[in-house]
Amino acid sequence: MFEIKDRDAMGRIGKLKINGHKIETPTIMPVVHPNPKKQVVPIELIKKLTDIIITNSYITYSTPKLREIAEEKGIHELVGFDKVVVTDSGSFQLSVYGDIDVEPLEIVEFQEKIGVDVGTILDIPTPPDVERERAEKELEETLRRAKASIELKKEKNFKLLLNGTIQGSTYLDLRRKSAEEMGKLDFDIYPIGAVVPLMEEYRYRDVAEIIINAKMCLPTNKPIHLFGCGHPMAFALAVALGCDLFDSAAYALYAKEGRYLTERGTLHLENLKDLDRFPCSCPVCSTYKPKEIYRMDKKQRTRLLAEHNLYVTFEEISRIKNAIKEGSLWELVEERCRCHPKLLDALRVVRKYMDFIERFDPVTKKSAFFYSGYESLFRPEVLRHKKRLSRLKFDKIYITTVSKRVEKPYSENLNLIHSDVDVLVIDDVFGLVPLYIDTFYPLAQSEVPDLFEFEKEYNKPFVKEFIEKYKDKILDITTYNYYINYYNSEANKNKINPDALRIKKMLQYQYGYDIIDDGLMKKITIKRSKTTGRIRYVMLDGKTLFSIRSYDNLLIPTEEGARLLHKKIPYPKYRVVVDREVEEFAREGKSVYAKFVVDCDEELRPYEEVLVVNEDDELLAFGTTLLNGKELMEFNYGIAVDVRKGIK
Ligand code: GUN
Ligand code: ZN
């Protein structure tokens, strides 16, 4: 019921099917009061903005009038919303009042009875920083309730889907344990709980660590809901860390206090009242002047502020989705995290987990890498380049620097002749950039300003370590010049084909194996674009092996190229193994569905070019994987590999 359509960082655009309704994630579920009289924004407006809302089953249960209607006509009738209705269980009331008057299984049963689409177990939201013993005990109780709730649902054949909330207070190992144990139970959505007190105190760093630690142990194929996060300022970071759903009571709660939400923080109507217009163009802000709203009676003022708050909340979700599609989510996160030092603190702690995050970050993006500050130095794209540098086989290395005025790719704009010497340019952001592969995303597709000295320090240990590792292969300037002169001399000019050498190195970097051996080196040729002069095709005996994609310069195989990769790359590397059942579909060039993946290279990253094979490693097709290694094994819905061509 959940599949990934598009992605960036750990964020994903997902399709979630609930009771016949299709919900596109990430999205926000406005909190709707079960008592329509207490609902601040008319449900009609909410219907226009969303197909999914969240309300409270415990308030419904414990208010006789509401309960009667809900039991008789159902929750959808009660709140006046006919799409997806999610309910919370009373856990939040439990955390605020210390006690509630319902049994854990009773509230699950009640949610089923009133026709809720997605219900929630009665988890215990342990506050931050409590004694470990309490956090452990309450987590054990939440896990017991979770198991009992899932058993009840199975036993009685309940229709409702269930939220299984992750708890564990601020103990990250308990959060991981909670995720591990809950992940074994068949919940439909995994909310991350008890972050409201942290959000209220702007403890975004703790929230970020809690999200990441939960994500490390949760199944990848279920949507994640960040419970109680309703401020649009925090959405981009939370999405980039893998949250798919949010709920917002904030739009109404803030409005009651005269607070005006923006994607950069909260403003007060009091301080806005002298502006001639609002800094927003939503229907509310383009209709009223700040002073007019300021002078209204409280009820009307609250409603209009709440409407504005809701508009900007959805606006930020749209902006995030667009950033995912463009591949610019990190840029948006870096921008948002500069709106509050505590958000910046959260972005900085993410660095600790980059090895994990990098596994989910796409290998190619449609937009260029924009450097926005020190934190850009530890983005996943940078880390991946450093990891993949060790895929290259070096024989003779010459390390140099390049003037900041030289445009990227350096190899096109510098007269550093290609011979059998690998010229590596020291790069402020990527550490070291080999000229043979410097057209690849993001090495050439990056915009970097002049860095401060302290920023340049960041990569020095990496460069030093590289030099140490390869010290026997590094040439000094005299030796380098000797090789260049040797290469340029008439007698040796034809010995090495620099284009073939470049292709050999590019394939080493992209796939981690030597695809072009010495025999092929002599035989392959290239075709250049007439307009740009850049390499477009790699040919062998008149047939195209690879084309070079213009926006990221990745090598895209043809059928011949795929056969070559299959021969040269050992199993199971760069393989997605499918069930016999779909072998013929794959051979016909149809997409490979996640459900039929039986094995794969666990190191695959999203959007890599892969080989589709059967269990005997016979080549069936080739294409682009939308999922990483872990997801390929875990997802049961949606497309896994977008097949370019089947092989008969
Ligand atoms: N709403 C906000 N936080 C929580 C939580 O931890 N659990 C539940 N069930 N609802 C919440
Ligand atoms: Zn507005």
Side-chain angles (χ1 to χ4, degrees):
M1 58 159 241
F2 183 62
E3 57 182 287
I4 294 182
K5 292 292 190 189
D6 218 327
R7 56 195 307 162
D8 193 13
M10 289 226 287
R12 42 214 195 162
I13 291 182
K15 196 167 96 187
L16 179 58
K17 270 195 206 148
I18 302 176
N19 282 343
H21 299 283
K22 282 183 201 141
I23 307 294
E24 193 176 77
T25 62
T27 196
I28 168 105
M29 306 176 279
V31 174
V32 169
H33 202 285
N35 183 352
K37 289 199 184 112
K38 292 199 177 170
Q39 177 54 25
V40 175
V41 166
I43 196 76
E44 301 312 320
L45 174 59
I46 290 179
K47 277 187 197 162
K48 272 198 229 160
L49 293 170
T50 179
D51 291 343
I52 182 168
I53 58 148
I54 183 164
T55 185
N56 194 296
S57 68
Y58 179 65
I59 298 175
T60 311
Y61 174 89
S62 55
T63 314
K65 265 192 186 154
L66 301 178
R67 181 167 171 172
E68 208 185 300
I69 301 171
E71 285 185 335
E72 216 169 272
K73 300 183 176 163
I75 191 76
H76 295 79
E77 277 283 318
L78 177 67
V79 297
F81 191 81
D82 58 4
K83 304 267 177 63
V84 178
V85 175
V86 181
T87 47
D88 200 353
S89 55
S91 295
F92 190 65
Q93 283 70 15
L94 181 66
S95 74
V96 177
Y97 308 112
D99 195 20
I100 57 166
D101 210 8
V102 71
E103 293 300 315
L105 295 186
E106 207 180 336
I107 197 69
V108 174
E109 197 139 21
F110 179 70
Q111 294 175 81
E112 168 73 8
K113 188 175 178 187
I114 62 174
V116 162
D117 295 298
V118 186
T120 306
I121 60 161
L122 191 65
D123 54 287
I124 305 176
T126 311
D129 316 312
V130 298
E131 295 261 336
R132 186 175 169 97
E133 212 182 314
R134 176 177 166 195
E136 279 176 358
K137 253 177 64 189
E138 293 184 353
L139 176 56
E140 287 310 318
E141 179 58 20
T142 295
L143 291 174
R144 252 195 303 278
R145 293 177 181 186
K147 283 184 195 123
S149 303
I150 286 287
E151 274 164 23
L152 177 74
K153 174 173 139 98
K154 286 216 176 99
E155 199 181 295
K156 298 211 173 169
N157 239 326
F158 283 175
K159 261 186 69 195
L160 93 173
L161 305 182
L162 269 184
N163 277 320
T165 320
I166 305 306
Q167 296 293 350
S169 181
T170 27
Y171 296 97
L172 298 176
D173 63 319
L174 293 187
R175 290 284 183 172
R176 291 197 299 274
K177 181 182 171 198
S178 176
E180 181 84 42
E181 295 300 319
M182 295 295 282
K184 290 180 196 158
L185 304 171
D186 195 20
F187 284 103
D188 302 286
I189 297 176
Y190 288 98
I192 296 173
V195 297
V196 173
L198 295 169
M199 303 288 282
E200 281 171 350
E201 291 178 30
Y202 284 65
R203 287 171 63 179
Y204 295 120
R205 180 193 178 97
D206 292 307
V207 177
E209 286 204 272
I210 286 169
I211 297 171
I212 300 168
N213 278 274
K215 285 288 290 189
M216 284 170 138
C217 301
L218 278 170
T220 53
N221 62 334
K222 300 285 172 79
I224 308 300
H225 168 192
L226 188 59
F227 239 139
C229 170
H231 201 305
M233 182 168 80
F235 289 171
L237 179 63
V239 169
L241 298 181
C243 296
D244 306 291
L245 292 164
F246 301 93
D247 60 282
S248 173
Y251 77 96
L253 297 175
Y254 279 56
K256 285 181 185 162
E257 294 166 18
R259 292 196 279 176
Y260 179 96
L261 294 182
T262 83
E263 67 279 11
R264 306 184 60 242
T266 312
L267 305 175
H268 289 262
L269 183 60
E270 177 75 34
N271 300 329
L272 290 168
K273 68 177 190 293
D274 295 328
L275 290 179
D276 60 349
R277 53 166 295 149
F278 282 111
C280 169
S281 301
C282 79
V284 174
C285 299
S286 40
T287 307
Y288 300 98
K289 287 187 190 316
K291 201 162 259 157
E292 289 171 332
I293 294 189
Y294 183 72
R295 286 182 182 149
M296 287 174 184
D297 67 54
K298 171 140 191 202
K299 190 159 180 232
Q300 209 185 352
R301 183 171 66 226
T302 301
R303 175 184 154 176
L304 289 172
L305 281 179
E307 288 189 47
H308 156 84
N309 289 346
L310 214 46
Y311 280 118
V312 291
T313 301
F314 279 100
E315 181 181 305
E316 180 68 355
I317 293 287
S318 299
R319 200 177 279 122
I320 291 168
K321 279 194 203 164
N322 186 52
I324 293 176
K325 289 188 176 167
E326 273 187 2
S328 64
L329 185 57
W330 282 110
E331 278 80 4
L332 182 61
V333 168
E334 290 180 332
E335 203 179 314
R336 288 292 175 264
C337 287
R338 277 172 180 74
C339 294
H340 197 291
K342 295 221 166 147
L343 269 173
L344 189 56
D345 207 26
L347 177 59
R348 287 179 177 183
V349 82
V350 163
R351 173 182 171 185
K352 245 169 66 182
Y353 302 96
M354 211 38 98
D355 195 62
F356 169 67
I357 295 169
E358 185 271 313
R359 296 173 175 273
F360 294 83
D361 189 78
V363 291
T364 177
K365 304 187 184 186
K366 294 198 184 83
S367 30
F369 174 108
F370 279 10
Y371 186 93
S372 83
Y374 193 73
E375 296 75 24
S376 303
L377 290 167
F378 46 83
R379 274 176 56 163
E381 300 93 331
V382 177
L383 179 63
R384 179 177 306 123
H385 168 67
K386 290 176 183 170
K387 287 183 186 171
R388 294 202 166 178
L389 208 50
S390 65
R391 289 178 164 193
L392 289 172
K393 298 203 173 38
F394 297 114
D395 181 20
K396 302 178 199 73
I397 297 170
Y398 178 66
I399 294 179
T400 184
T401 53
V402 161
S403 152
K404 193 62 209 163
R405 280 192 302 273
V406 178
E407 297 270 335
K408 291 171 181 175
Y410 302 136
S411 58
E412 278 182 13
N413 300 308
L414 285 176
N415 203 12
L416 289 166
I417 293 154
H418 293 101
S419 62
D420 58 344
V421 178
D422 279 286
V423 179
L424 271 63
V425 173
I426 294 178
D427 186 279
D428 291 342
V429 175
F430 296 99
L432 288 162
V433 174
L435 291 192
Y436 277 118
I437 58 133
D438 79 340
T439 52
F440 272 146
Y441 172 87
L443 303 172
Q445 301 75 2
S446 50
E447 291 280 349
V448 182
D450 261 342
L451 298 197
F452 290 130
E453 285 309 313
F454 81 91
E455 291 173 293
K456 292 183 189 171
E457 290 296 315
Y458 181 82
N459 274 316
K460 285 193 179 155
F462 170 78
V463 175
K464 208 173 139 195
E465 199 180 302
F466 183 93
I467 290 173
E468 191 54 36
K469 181 174 168 191
Y470 291 100
K471 62 176 182 288
D472 302 336
K473 301 188 168 174
I474 296 174
L475 310 177
D476 60 28
I477 184 76
T478 23
T479 330
Y480 175 67
N481 284 337
Y482 165 79
Y483 275 105
I484 296 303
N485 291 334
Y486 171 80
Y487 174 75
N488 279 341
S489 68
E490 274 307 309
N492 292 291
K493 218 166 188 176
N494 299 321
K495 276 203 173 160
I496 313 147
N497 173 353
D499 293 324
L501 195 55
R502 173 182 274 263
I503 299 302
K504 178 187 173 82
K505 301 269 180 183
M506 285 172 83
L507 287 165
Q508 267 177 13
Y509 182 88
Q510 187 174 330
Y511 293 102
Y513 290 89
D514 209 18
I515 310 299
I516 309 290
D517 59 24
D518 291 345
L520 278 178
M521 273 285 277
K522 296 199 184 82
K523 292 201 269 183
I524 62 166
T525 56
I526 54 126
K527 263 194 199 161
R528 289 179 188 278
S529 151
K530 289 205 175 75
T531 45
T532 63
R534 290 184 178 161
I535 304 178
R536 284 293 307 277
Y537 301 104
V538 181
M539 319 284 294
L540 178 68
D541 300 332
K543 285 186 177 150
T544 308
L545 288 178
F546 298 95
S547 61
I548 295 190
R549 185 161 60 193
S550 60
Y551 68 88
D552 60 4
N553 285 299
L554 252 60
L555 289 129
I556 309 300
T558 59
E559 180 173 335
E560 298 300 320
R563 286 183 196 277
L564 177 64
L565 293 172
H566 185 246
K567 198 162 84 186
K568 296 288 184 175
I569 303 173
Y571 182 91
K573 287 288 161 196
Y574 281 87
R575 306 295 203 278
V576 173
V577 186
V578 298
D579 198 289
R580 290 265 178 231
E581 209 186 316
V582 293
E583 181 165 335
E584 282 314 307
F585 290 101
R587 286 197 190 275
E588 281 164 23
K590 306 233 165 74
S591 296
V592 169
Y593 283 82
K595 193 166 118 184
F596 301 106
V597 173
V598 293
D599 201 1
C600 72
D601 170 4
E602 59 182 32
E603 291 297 314
L604 285 177
R605 306 293 192 257
Y607 299 140
E608 291 210 271
E609 295 302 313
V610 295
L611 305 169
V612 177
V613 300
N614 63 16
E615 283 159 278
D616 295 329
D617 194 27
E618 287 167 324
L619 186 61
L620 309 175
F622 58 100
T624 312
T625 179
L626 304 180
L627 306 176
N628 77 4
K630 190 161 192 272
E631 293 163 338
L632 280 165
M633 300 310 293
E634 291 182 353
F635 268 82
N636 289 318
Y637 289 91
I639 292 174
V641 181
D642 195 355
V643 168
R644 291 183 182 281
K645 196 164 184 277
I647 292 181
K648 301 264 176 174

